Amino acid sequence: MMSDRKQFVLVMVVAALFVGWLGWRGFEVISLNERLKADDVVASYPYKHRVLRVEGDTAIMSSLRSHTTSTHKALSAIFPSMRNLGDSHRDWQRAERELAQVQARAGDVILGASGISRIRWELDENWYHLQTMKSKYDTRL
């Protein structure tokens, strides 16, 4: 049977390894997001694509589009001045192409990092929530 002192040391070593692992995962996400900030095209786009977390060799990245959220809604949130344009207006088409190109480039930047071989996009619900709160605040002023 192990003494109390040995059990304590074992628990502390396991806890230190776990904290170190968590710290490494956080550092990995931070360094991947720094890669996105260093890319002029990705960094200059109004929506900031980012890595949310890493699971194995897969980077989970934020996106404004999903199966349930249309590109039109995403672009309306980024460019409120376009809300009054017709759906077939050329500015919508140009903005859709640009969003797709920037998102693809953001994915390519992250795929260029060692240890990442796949990207999974996840709807950035927090960003939409913040935009809603901002618009409510702006209308009260």
Side-chain angles (χ1 to χ4, degrees), residues 5 9 13 16 29 35 50-51 58 62 68 94-95 100 124 135:
R5 180 182 208 121
V9 169
V13 167
V29 169
R35 289 178 72 110
R50 65 190 193 284
V51 175
T58 303
S62 65
T68 59
R94 184 177 33 232
D124 194 347
S135 66

Side-chain angles (χ1 to χ4, degrees), residues 62-115:
S62 65
S63 176
L64 292 179
R65 305 182 295 172
S66 74
H67 296 294
T68 59
T69 305
S70 70
T71 305
H72 193 276
K73 179 179 179 181
L75 293 172
S76 294
I78 297 172
F79 306 111
S81 61
M82 290 178 51
R83 290 181 184 153
N84 298 327
L85 300 177
D87 290 343
S88 61
H89 195 279
R90 65 184 168 164
D91 286 349
W92 280 115
Q93 295 165 359
R94 184 177 33 232
E96 286 173 351
R97 278 192 308 276
E98 183 182 22
L99 175 60
Q101 290 169 347
V102 171
Q103 183 167 318
R105 181 161 178 141
D108 289 343
V109 167
I110 298 305
L111 286 172
S114 65

Side-chain angles (χ1 to χ4, degrees), residues 15-75:
L17 289 172
F18 180 70
V19 169
W21 177 79
L22 286 176
W24 169 250
R25 297 311 263 180
F27 173 75
E28 188 176 22
V29 169
I30 290 168
S31 65
L32 291 171
N33 283 324
E34 289 300 320
R35 289 178 72 110
L36 292 172
K37 289 178 186 174
D39 185 276
D40 292 336
V41 173
V42 176
S44 65
Y45 194 71
Y47 172 74
K48 302 305 176 205
H49 291 87
R50 65 190 193 284
V51 175
L52 302 172
R53 63 189 177 281
V54 176
E55 296 175 355
D57 65 347
T58 303
I60 290 73
M61 294 185 65
S62 65
S63 176
L64 292 179
R65 305 182 295 172
S66 74
H67 296 294
T68 59
T69 305
S70 70
T71 305
H72 193 276
K73 179 179 179 181
L75 293 172

